[in-house]
Amino acid sequence: MISIRQRKGVKTTEVPEDNAAREANVKLENKLPSDGCASRRLWKLLSFTVGGTVALCIGLLTSVYLATLHENDLWFSNIKEVEREISFRTECGLYYSYYKQMLQAPTLMQGFHGLIYDNKTESMRTINLLQRMNIYQEVFLSILYRVLPIQKYLEPVYFYIYTLFGLQAIYVTALYVTSWLLSGTWLSGLLAAFWYVTNRIDTTRVEFTIPLRENWALPFFAIQIAAITYFLRPNLQPLSERLTLLAIFISTFLFSLTWQFNQFMMLMQALVLFTLDSLDMLPAVKATWLYGIQMTGLLLVCILQFFNSMILGSLLISFNLSVLIARKLQKNLKTGSFLNRLGKLLLHLFAVLCLTLFLNSIIKKILNLKSDEHIFKFLKAKFGFGATRDFDANLYLCEEAFGLLPFNTFGRLSDTLLFYAYIFVLSITVMAALAVAFHNLSDSKSQQSTGQSGKCTIILKPETAYNLIHTILFGFLALSTMRMKYLWTSHMCVFASFGLCSPEIWELLLKSIHLYNPKRICIMRYSVPILILLYLCYKFWPGMMDELSELREFYDPDTVELMNWINSNTPRKAVFAGSMQLLAGVKLCTGRTLTNHPHYEDNSLRERTKAVYQIYAKRSPEDVHALLRSFGADYVILEDSICYERRHQRGCRLRDLLDVANGHMMDGPGENDPDLKLAGHPRFCEEIKRNLPPYTAYFTRVFQNKTFHVYKLSRNK
């Protein structure tokens, strides 16, 4: 990463004594037998074997640990099938339902046909689920379960969750390998894995959101980062380089296939490559390869998703094309004086930005693409570019997961010493990167050719520079959006552990305080990580054992009662309306048709969801009935937890968002915008429970418990 080397351009006529001594030693070593070389090879092989074994063991242990926590938390092996399915909350249940649907299909072809021509996920519409959603993983698992001879020994749900926990083993192993590649010792990989586990609350949520798309995608993302780290090493053999490119392509493709937010994460990666390439900290040829792999992987996913327009209109495609075009137009970007190069760089940045926006707008106009509008509305409102009354944007803004990263996160990360180590390593590498960037901008090719400039005494390896900018950009993403912290905290474990085990980091630090000594570097790079590992074992091992011994049980009798009632008392073709989160469970547990669902990446679905949610607004029974019947709804489920919500503050309750979007004043004490008016009707979800004639003419209550109220819609106009 960081090393000291001879300055270029200093001509000497005499060879110093110490250099002469070194040359003599080299000549002597060349004459000696190769016993020392053989012993070094044997030591490397032994270290690789031990390190690889530890990587596999720590990955498997992490997988077993997380699976045990899941079992202990829900008593998953003992509860009923309907309770297991209810435990897959919100969109998790929706994704798992397609795995279940494929297994229940008489044949694979009928299962595929049911996904491509689905009319149960959205009532009165036939949609292609393979185009709309990232569910190829459920399809692949269902095929595997059918083909493998395991039906007698393993239930379908266990095959599914064990696969996800198995991917966690791959995830931790990939983090381990990345840290090992950066530092040169597997001890840093072990420390990264320990930090990942001891910071489990902030590094993963797989044990309680198993089918979530990120739990499928992040292991492949980690593999991709490890492969890129190796690929950016200089002087790779041609075969190694080709195999690494293949690994990058496969992991990029699988990552893109399994998560709908892939394009935004890879856009961050592309910005990392663009930054390093512009500052001459990365070989331009390798950057071009990576740009190409990103676009190729994404376009292949686009084909598999039946030419999903959201992929074609992604910013990533437009940005990568713009970078390659702008680079061709500005051929002399890396020549000239410091100010000259800085000016060219700013012009290049402006050209890429303008070209990206132009290409993206053209593509979206051609495709008439509106699927990602809600994301940009959300970002505009989040970063203070004007308040919005847009229902979809406010729905995101009011969710804690899409808010700023809570400050107590840093307290938890500091308890394990991760945050302190991360800031220590980050500070040193940022200073080194700034020095190298300044030198690269000052040291043009023309100056190098005439020998007028010297080389920088600090060298930042391309793979280290990549991981540095990666952790900075994803850090900003996590700080702005809490849900994305899992991308940052896992890489934080890698980056901090690498720095503590890196000889270059310690060399630079010890030289800066005039305590440099090769033996001290060796002592520091091994003793500090070992001490931290001992501290982590001492402080967190008892707590982890207590956590594993703590037994709880799934308990949600109201939802179980609702699902059992739906299965027993409603037609198989009945259409249900309600909240997105609940309806995902209705589809999984009962197979009934839905009016809306939690997969929000479709403009027409967002409009439909807003219309269905008028059941919690101040609307007349006639209006609500007409809206629900327009989507073919036979039953509507009202939830007291939404109608009388107290989880959010005033202005962020679902009923408040609906009131503001409808131009109505919000309930309760507090200010309202001056243009908001009093509603002409009481709140529907409250008033319907009084069984007044205007409501009973359209809605008949057919089920009720402490949480849910189900009403059957009359078919009268």
Tab-separated table of all heavy atoms in Angstrom, residues 223-266:
chain	number	residue	atom	x	y	z
A	223	ILE	N	-17.690	-10.929	-2.767
A	223	ILE	CA	-16.803	-11.692	-3.658
A	223	ILE	C	-16.261	-10.788	-4.755
A	223	ILE	O	-15.070	-10.847	-5.102
A	223	ILE	CB	-17.560	-12.891	-4.272
A	223	ILE	CG1	-17.929	-13.906	-3.191
A	223	ILE	CG2	-16.728	-13.557	-5.360
A	223	ILE	CD1	-18.849	-15.012	-3.673
A	224	GLN	N	-17.119	-9.939	-5.304
A	224	GLN	CA	-16.694	-9.024	-6.358
A	224	GLN	C	-15.604	-8.079	-5.865
A	224	GLN	O	-14.609	-7.829	-6.552
A	224	GLN	CB	-17.897	-8.230	-6.863
A	224	GLN	CG	-17.583	-7.344	-8.062
A	224	GLN	CD	-18.309	-6.016	-7.995
A	224	GLN	OE1	-18.378	-5.397	-6.939
A	224	GLN	NE2	-18.836	-5.571	-9.120
A	225	ILE	N	-15.768	-7.545	-4.656
A	225	ILE	CA	-14.766	-6.626	-4.098
A	225	ILE	C	-13.438	-7.348	-3.892
A	225	ILE	O	-12.362	-6.806	-4.181
A	225	ILE	CB	-15.278	-6.017	-2.780
A	225	ILE	CG1	-16.481	-5.117	-3.053
A	225	ILE	CG2	-14.182	-5.214	-2.085
A	225	ILE	CD1	-17.191	-4.650	-1.804
A	226	ALA	N	-13.507	-8.591	-3.402
A	226	ALA	CA	-12.275	-9.382	-3.215
A	226	ALA	C	-11.586	-9.614	-4.562
A	226	ALA	O	-10.357	-9.491	-4.678
A	226	ALA	CB	-12.606	-10.708	-2.546
A	227	ALA	N	-12.386	-9.946	-5.583
A	227	ALA	CA	-11.808	-10.191	-6.910
A	227	ALA	C	-11.219	-8.916	-7.511
A	227	ALA	O	-10.143	-8.949	-8.126
A	227	ALA	CB	-12.878	-10.772	-7.833
A	228	ILE	N	-11.894	-7.787	-7.343
A	228	ILE	CA	-11.371	-6.508	-7.846
A	228	ILE	C	-10.079	-6.154	-7.123
A	228	ILE	O	-9.111	-5.666	-7.733
A	228	ILE	CB	-12.422	-5.387	-7.671
A	228	ILE	CG1	-13.576	-5.592	-8.649
A	228	ILE	CG2	-11.795	-4.013	-7.900
A	228	ILE	CD1	-14.716	-4.610	-8.473
A	229	THR	N	-10.035	-6.400	-5.817
A	229	THR	CA	-8.827	-6.131	-5.034
A	229	THR	C	-7.642	-6.912	-5.592
A	229	THR	O	-6.528	-6.377	-5.716
A	229	THR	CB	-9.063	-6.490	-3.555
A	229	THR	OG1	-10.140	-5.693	-3.045
A	229	THR	CG2	-7.815	-6.241	-2.724
A	230	TYR	N	-7.865	-8.166	-5.934
A	230	TYR	CA	-6.781	-8.971	-6.508
A	230	TYR	C	-6.453	-8.522	-7.929
A	230	TYR	O	-5.279	-8.445	-8.319
A	230	TYR	CB	-7.181	-10.450	-6.506
A	230	TYR	CG	-6.085	-11.365	-6.986
A	230	TYR	CD1	-4.998	-11.668	-6.173
A	230	TYR	CD2	-6.130	-11.928	-8.267
A	230	TYR	CE1	-3.980	-12.507	-6.619
A	230	TYR	CE2	-5.129	-12.760	-8.718
A	230	TYR	CZ	-4.048	-13.048	-7.889
A	230	TYR	OH	-3.040	-13.867	-8.337
A	231	PHE	N	-7.474	-8.195	-8.707
A	231	PHE	CA	-7.283	-7.788	-10.104
A	231	PHE	C	-6.442	-6.512	-10.219
A	231	PHE	O	-5.672	-6.363	-11.179
A	231	PHE	CB	-8.657	-7.566	-10.743
A	231	PHE	CG	-8.613	-6.998	-12.129
A	231	PHE	CD1	-8.113	-7.732	-13.194
A	231	PHE	CD2	-9.070	-5.711	-12.387
A	231	PHE	CE1	-8.068	-7.205	-14.476
A	231	PHE	CE2	-9.032	-5.171	-13.659
A	231	PHE	CZ	-8.530	-5.924	-14.708
A	232	LEU	N	-6.570	-5.613	-9.258
A	232	LEU	CA	-5.846	-4.338	-9.321
A	232	LEU	C	-4.383	-4.454	-8.901
A	232	LEU	O	-3.640	-3.476	-8.974
A	232	LEU	CB	-6.552	-3.296	-8.444
A	232	LEU	CG	-7.952	-2.881	-8.929
A	232	LEU	CD1	-8.555	-1.864	-7.986
A	232	LEU	CD2	-7.904	-2.334	-10.345
A	233	ARG	N	-3.974	-5.625	-8.483
A	233	ARG	CA	-2.555	-5.825	-8.177
A	233	ARG	C	-1.721	-5.707	-9.456
A	233	ARG	O	-2.139	-6.187	-10.523
A	233	ARG	CB	-2.324	-7.214	-7.565
A	233	ARG	CG	-2.771	-7.338	-6.121
A	233	ARG	CD	-2.412	-8.711	-5.589
A	233	ARG	NE	-2.487	-8.764	-4.143
A	233	ARG	CZ	-2.090	-9.798	-3.407
A	233	ARG	NH1	-1.580	-10.874	-4.003
A	233	ARG	NH2	-2.181	-9.756	-2.100
A	234	PRO	N	-0.552	-5.112	-9.369
A	234	PRO	CA	0.292	-4.996	-10.567
A	234	PRO	C	0.960	-6.329	-10.915
A	234	PRO	O	1.093	-7.213	-10.073
A	234	PRO	CB	1.334	-3.945	-10.159
A	234	PRO	CG	1.416	-4.051	-8.671
A	234	PRO	CD	0.048	-4.439	-8.192
A	235	ASN	N	1.355	-6.445	-12.176
A	235	ASN	CA	2.167	-7.572	-12.652
A	235	ASN	C	1.499	-8.933	-12.458
A	235	ASN	O	2.145	-9.915	-12.094
A	235	ASN	CB	3.543	-7.577	-11.952
A	235	ASN	CG	4.276	-6.266	-12.126
A	235	ASN	OD1	4.239	-5.665	-13.206
A	235	ASN	ND2	4.923	-5.798	-11.068
A	236	LEU	N	0.194	-8.991	-12.694
A	236	LEU	CA	-0.482	-10.283	-12.644
A	236	LEU	C	-0.141	-11.094	-13.891
A	236	LEU	O	0.042	-10.540	-14.980
A	236	LEU	CB	-2.000	-10.094	-12.582
A	236	LEU	CG	-2.634	-9.699	-11.248
A	236	LEU	CD1	-4.151	-9.617	-11.412
A	236	LEU	CD2	-2.285	-10.676	-10.145
A	237	GLN	N	-0.052	-12.402	-13.725
A	237	GLN	CA	0.142	-13.278	-14.876
A	237	GLN	C	-1.110	-13.242	-15.759
A	237	GLN	O	-2.229	-13.081	-15.251
A	237	GLN	CB	0.401	-14.709	-14.408
A	237	GLN	CG	1.692	-14.884	-13.629
A	237	GLN	CD	2.925	-14.616	-14.487
A	237	GLN	OE1	2.932	-14.927	-15.687
A	237	GLN	NE2	3.954	-14.037	-13.884
A	238	PRO	N	-0.974	-13.362	-17.075
A	238	PRO	CA	-2.139	-13.290	-17.974
A	238	PRO	C	-3.270	-14.244	-17.590
A	238	PRO	O	-4.444	-13.876	-17.621
A	238	PRO	CB	-1.554	-13.634	-19.343
A	238	PRO	CG	-0.116	-13.231	-19.246
A	238	PRO	CD	0.283	-13.505	-17.820
A	239	LEU	N	-2.911	-15.486	-17.219
A	239	LEU	CA	-3.939	-16.456	-16.841
A	239	LEU	C	-4.656	-16.020	-15.566
A	239	LEU	O	-5.891	-16.088	-15.484
A	239	LEU	CB	-3.305	-17.844	-16.651
A	239	LEU	CG	-4.281	-18.954	-16.234
A	239	LEU	CD1	-5.361	-19.143	-17.297
A	239	LEU	CD2	-3.523	-20.276	-15.990
A	240	SER	N	-3.892	-15.559	-14.587
A	240	SER	CA	-4.499	-15.091	-13.335
A	240	SER	C	-5.418	-13.902	-13.595
A	240	SER	O	-6.508	-13.803	-13.013
A	240	SER	CB	-3.406	-14.689	-12.334
A	240	SER	OG	-2.601	-15.783	-11.996
A	241	GLU	N	-4.987	-13.023	-14.476
A	241	GLU	CA	-5.799	-11.846	-14.778
A	241	GLU	C	-7.108	-12.243	-15.451
A	241	GLU	O	-8.176	-11.718	-15.100
A	241	GLU	CB	-5.003	-10.901	-15.683
A	241	GLU	CG	-5.648	-9.536	-15.855
A	241	GLU	CD	-4.704	-8.565	-16.540
A	241	GLU	OE1	-4.655	-8.589	-17.789
A	241	GLU	OE2	-4.025	-7.809	-15.838
A	242	ARG	N	-7.044	-13.186	-16.378
A	242	ARG	CA	-8.263	-13.614	-17.064
A	242	ARG	C	-9.224	-14.320	-16.105
A	242	ARG	O	-10.440	-14.099	-16.162
A	242	ARG	CB	-7.912	-14.529	-18.241
A	242	ARG	CG	-7.361	-13.776	-19.456
A	242	ARG	CD	-7.356	-14.670	-20.690
A	242	ARG	NE	-6.350	-15.714	-20.596
A	242	ARG	CZ	-5.099	-15.606	-21.024
A	242	ARG	NH1	-4.699	-14.478	-21.584
A	242	ARG	NH2	-4.260	-16.605	-20.902
A	243	LEU	N	-8.694	-15.177	-15.237
A	243	LEU	CA	-9.544	-15.875	-14.268
A	243	LEU	C	-10.179	-14.896	-13.278
A	243	LEU	O	-11.340	-15.050	-12.885
A	243	LEU	CB	-8.724	-16.934	-13.516
A	243	LEU	CG	-8.283	-18.142	-14.344
A	243	LEU	CD1	-7.371	-19.049	-13.521
A	243	LEU	CD2	-9.497	-18.938	-14.841
A	244	THR	N	-9.408	-13.886	-12.894
A	244	THR	CA	-9.944	-12.881	-11.977
A	244	THR	C	-11.048	-12.068	-12.637
A	244	THR	O	-12.069	-11.774	-12.014
A	244	THR	CB	-8.820	-11.946	-11.495
A	244	THR	OG1	-7.731	-12.728	-10.983
A	244	THR	CG2	-9.319	-11.029	-10.395
A	245	LEU	N	-10.855	-11.709	-13.902
A	245	LEU	CA	-11.902	-10.998	-14.642
A	245	LEU	C	-13.173	-11.841	-14.741
A	245	LEU	O	-14.292	-11.317	-14.630
A	245	LEU	CB	-11.407	-10.636	-16.039
A	245	LEU	CG	-10.461	-9.437	-16.131
A	245	LEU	CD1	-9.873	-9.333	-17.535
A	245	LEU	CD2	-11.187	-8.146	-15.774
A	246	LEU	N	-13.001	-13.143	-14.927
A	246	LEU	CA	-14.159	-14.040	-14.973
A	246	LEU	C	-14.889	-14.046	-13.628
A	246	LEU	O	-16.123	-13.997	-13.580
A	246	LEU	CB	-13.705	-15.453	-15.346
A	246	LEU	CG	-14.807	-16.521	-15.416
A	246	LEU	CD1	-15.829	-16.167	-16.501
A	246	LEU	CD2	-14.201	-17.899	-15.666
A	247	ALA	N	-14.105	-14.093	-12.534
A	247	ALA	CA	-14.708	-14.065	-11.190
A	247	ALA	C	-15.451	-12.752	-10.951
A	247	ALA	O	-16.544	-12.740	-10.371
A	247	ALA	CB	-13.630	-14.268	-10.131
A	248	ILE	N	-14.871	-11.647	-11.407
A	248	ILE	CA	-15.526	-10.339	-11.260
A	248	ILE	C	-16.827	-10.308	-12.048
A	248	ILE	O	-17.860	-9.843	-11.548
A	248	ILE	CB	-14.589	-9.203	-11.724
A	248	ILE	CG1	-13.368	-9.106	-10.812
A	248	ILE	CG2	-15.327	-7.868	-11.732
A	248	ILE	CD1	-12.299	-8.153	-11.320
A	249	PHE	N	-16.786	-10.838	-13.262
A	249	PHE	CA	-17.987	-10.822	-14.097
A	249	PHE	C	-19.101	-11.670	-13.489
A	249	PHE	O	-20.263	-11.235	-13.398
A	249	PHE	CB	-17.668	-11.330	-15.505
A	249	PHE	CG	-18.881	-11.527	-16.359
A	249	PHE	CD1	-19.549	-10.434	-16.894
A	249	PHE	CD2	-19.383	-12.798	-16.600
A	249	PHE	CE1	-20.694	-10.605	-17.659
A	249	PHE	CE2	-20.523	-12.980	-17.366
A	249	PHE	CZ	-21.172	-11.877	-17.898
A	250	ILE	N	-18.769	-12.884	-13.046
A	250	ILE	CA	-19.793	-13.779	-12.486
A	250	ILE	C	-20.402	-13.183	-11.217
A	250	ILE	O	-21.625	-13.179	-11.040
A	250	ILE	CB	-19.189	-15.171	-12.204
A	250	ILE	CG1	-18.822	-15.866	-13.521
A	250	ILE	CG2	-20.166	-16.038	-11.410
A	250	ILE	CD1	-18.065	-17.161	-13.343
A	251	SER	N	-19.541	-12.664	-10.326
A	251	SER	CA	-20.056	-12.088	-9.079
A	251	SER	C	-20.869	-10.823	-9.351
A	251	SER	O	-21.901	-10.593	-8.694
A	251	SER	CB	-18.906	-11.795	-8.114
A	251	SER	OG	-17.931	-10.956	-8.709
A	252	THR	N	-20.438	-10.010	-10.321
A	252	THR	CA	-21.202	-8.812	-10.687
A	252	THR	C	-22.563	-9.190	-11.259
A	252	THR	O	-23.588	-8.585	-10.912
A	252	THR	CB	-20.428	-7.973	-11.724
A	252	THR	OG1	-19.167	-7.586	-11.171
A	252	THR	CG2	-21.195	-6.724	-12.108
A	253	PHE	N	-22.582	-10.199	-12.098
A	253	PHE	CA	-23.835	-10.658	-12.698
A	253	PHE	C	-24.798	-11.183	-11.624
A	253	PHE	O	-25.987	-10.822	-11.609
A	253	PHE	CB	-23.543	-11.742	-13.728
A	253	PHE	CG	-24.750	-12.505	-14.176
A	253	PHE	CD1	-25.717	-11.898	-14.968
A	253	PHE	CD2	-24.928	-13.827	-13.797
A	253	PHE	CE1	-26.844	-12.601	-15.373
A	253	PHE	CE2	-26.042	-14.536	-14.201
A	253	PHE	CZ	-27.006	-13.920	-14.991
A	254	LEU	N	-24.297	-12.022	-10.718
A	254	LEU	CA	-25.155	-12.590	-9.675
A	254	LEU	C	-25.641	-11.516	-8.708
A	254	LEU	O	-26.788	-11.543	-8.254
A	254	LEU	CB	-24.407	-13.696	-8.924
A	254	LEU	CG	-24.104	-14.956	-9.743
A	254	LEU	CD1	-23.257	-15.929	-8.941
A	254	LEU	CD2	-25.400	-15.626	-10.195
A	255	PHE	N	-24.768	-10.565	-8.398
A	255	PHE	CA	-25.172	-9.447	-7.544
A	255	PHE	C	-26.287	-8.640	-8.209
A	255	PHE	O	-27.287	-8.281	-7.567
A	255	PHE	CB	-23.954	-8.550	-7.273
A	255	PHE	CG	-24.294	-7.242	-6.612
A	255	PHE	CD1	-24.782	-7.200	-5.322
A	255	PHE	CD2	-24.127	-6.043	-7.294
A	255	PHE	CE1	-25.100	-5.986	-4.710
A	255	PHE	CE2	-24.436	-4.833	-6.698
A	255	PHE	CZ	-24.920	-4.805	-5.406
A	256	SER	N	-26.147	-8.383	-9.494
A	256	SER	CA	-27.152	-7.610	-10.229
A	256	SER	C	-28.463	-8.369	-10.358
A	256	SER	O	-29.543	-7.771	-10.350
A	256	SER	CB	-26.627	-7.254	-11.621
A	256	SER	OG	-25.419	-6.542	-11.541
A	257	LEU	N	-28.372	-9.681	-10.484
A	257	LEU	CA	-29.566	-10.501	-10.689
A	257	LEU	C	-30.415	-10.620	-9.433
A	257	LEU	O	-31.632	-10.824	-9.519
A	257	LEU	CB	-29.145	-11.901	-11.169
A	257	LEU	CG	-30.244	-12.843	-11.643
A	257	LEU	CD1	-30.912	-12.312	-12.909
A	257	LEU	CD2	-29.675	-14.239	-11.882
A	258	THR	N	-29.800	-10.484	-8.258
A	258	THR	CA	-30.499	-10.803	-7.016
A	258	THR	C	-30.988	-9.597	-6.223
A	258	THR	O	-31.634	-9.772	-5.189
A	258	THR	CB	-29.562	-11.626	-6.097
A	258	THR	OG1	-28.297	-10.956	-5.973
A	258	THR	CG2	-29.333	-13.017	-6.658
A	259	TRP	N	-30.715	-8.357	-6.673
A	259	TRP	CA	-31.132	-7.187	-5.901
A	259	TRP	C	-31.549	-6.064	-6.834
A	259	TRP	O	-30.803	-5.695	-7.749
A	259	TRP	CB	-29.978	-6.719	-5.002
A	259	TRP	CG	-30.392	-5.797	-3.890
A	259	TRP	CD1	-31.647	-5.584	-3.415
A	259	TRP	CD2	-29.529	-4.977	-3.097
A	259	TRP	NE1	-31.629	-4.685	-2.367
A	259	TRP	CE2	-30.337	-4.297	-2.151
A	259	TRP	CE3	-28.155	-4.751	-3.096
A	259	TRP	CZ2	-29.812	-3.408	-1.223
A	259	TRP	CZ3	-27.631	-3.874	-2.165
A	259	TRP	CH2	-28.448	-3.215	-1.226
A	260	GLN	N	-32.721	-5.491	-6.596
A	260	GLN	CA	-33.213	-4.433	-7.476
A	260	GLN	C	-32.442	-3.135	-7.341
A	260	GLN	O	-32.484	-2.277	-8.237
A	260	GLN	CB	-34.709	-4.176	-7.227
A	260	GLN	CG	-35.060	-3.544	-5.889
A	260	GLN	CD	-35.359	-4.587	-4.822
A	260	GLN	OE1	-34.813	-5.681	-4.857
A	260	GLN	NE2	-36.223	-4.240	-3.874
A	261	PHE	N	-31.710	-2.959	-6.235
A	261	PHE	CA	-30.920	-1.740	-6.041
A	261	PHE	C	-29.491	-1.891	-6.551
A	261	PHE	O	-28.620	-1.079	-6.236
A	261	PHE	CB	-30.892	-1.347	-4.561
A	261	PHE	CG	-32.237	-0.917	-4.040
A	261	PHE	CD1	-32.659	-1.287	-2.778
A	261	PHE	CD2	-33.082	-0.145	-4.809
A	261	PHE	CE1	-33.904	-0.898	-2.294
A	261	PHE	CE2	-34.326	0.258	-4.333
A	261	PHE	CZ	-34.742	-0.124	-3.073
A	262	ASN	N	-29.232	-2.939	-7.333
A	262	ASN	CA	-27.871	-3.210	-7.830
A	262	ASN	C	-27.283	-2.028	-8.574
A	262	ASN	O	-26.112	-1.705	-8.422
A	262	ASN	CB	-27.882	-4.448	-8.725
A	262	ASN	CG	-28.833	-4.299	-9.907
A	262	ASN	OD1	-28.601	-3.536	-10.848
A	262	ASN	ND2	-29.928	-5.037	-9.882
A	263	GLN	N	-28.108	-1.375	-9.413
A	263	GLN	CA	-27.584	-0.299	-10.268
A	263	GLN	C	-27.063	0.873	-9.449
A	263	GLN	O	-26.082	1.520	-9.827
A	263	GLN	CB	-28.677	0.172	-11.218
A	263	GLN	CG	-29.966	0.552	-10.528
A	263	GLN	CD	-31.038	0.987	-11.489
A	263	GLN	OE1	-30.914	2.041	-12.085
A	263	GLN	NE2	-32.083	0.197	-11.645
A	264	PHE	N	-27.684	1.155	-8.313
A	264	PHE	CA	-27.240	2.274	-7.491
A	264	PHE	C	-25.935	1.943	-6.760
A	264	PHE	O	-25.068	2.798	-6.603
A	264	PHE	CB	-28.332	2.657	-6.493
A	264	PHE	CG	-29.636	3.004	-7.151
A	264	PHE	CD1	-30.707	2.123	-7.125
A	264	PHE	CD2	-29.792	4.201	-7.835
A	264	PHE	CE1	-31.906	2.428	-7.749
A	264	PHE	CE2	-30.984	4.518	-8.470
A	264	PHE	CZ	-32.044	3.629	-8.428
A	265	MET	N	-25.794	0.690	-6.322
A	265	MET	CA	-24.554	0.283	-5.655
A	265	MET	C	-23.391	0.267	-6.648
A	265	MET	O	-22.276	0.702	-6.336
A	265	MET	CB	-24.706	-1.110	-5.021
A	265	MET	CG	-25.845	-1.220	-4.014
A	265	MET	SD	-25.781	0.037	-2.739
A	265	MET	CE	-27.134	1.103	-3.211
A	266	MET	N	-23.650	-0.208	-7.848
A	266	MET	CA	-22.583	-0.253	-8.847
A	266	MET	C	-22.266	1.133	-9.399
A	266	MET	O	-21.160	1.375	-9.876
A	266	MET	CB	-22.944	-1.228	-9.966
A	266	MET	CG	-22.916	-2.676	-9.515
A	266	MET	SD	-22.714	-3.847	-10.870
A	266	MET	CE	-24.260	-3.629	-11.723
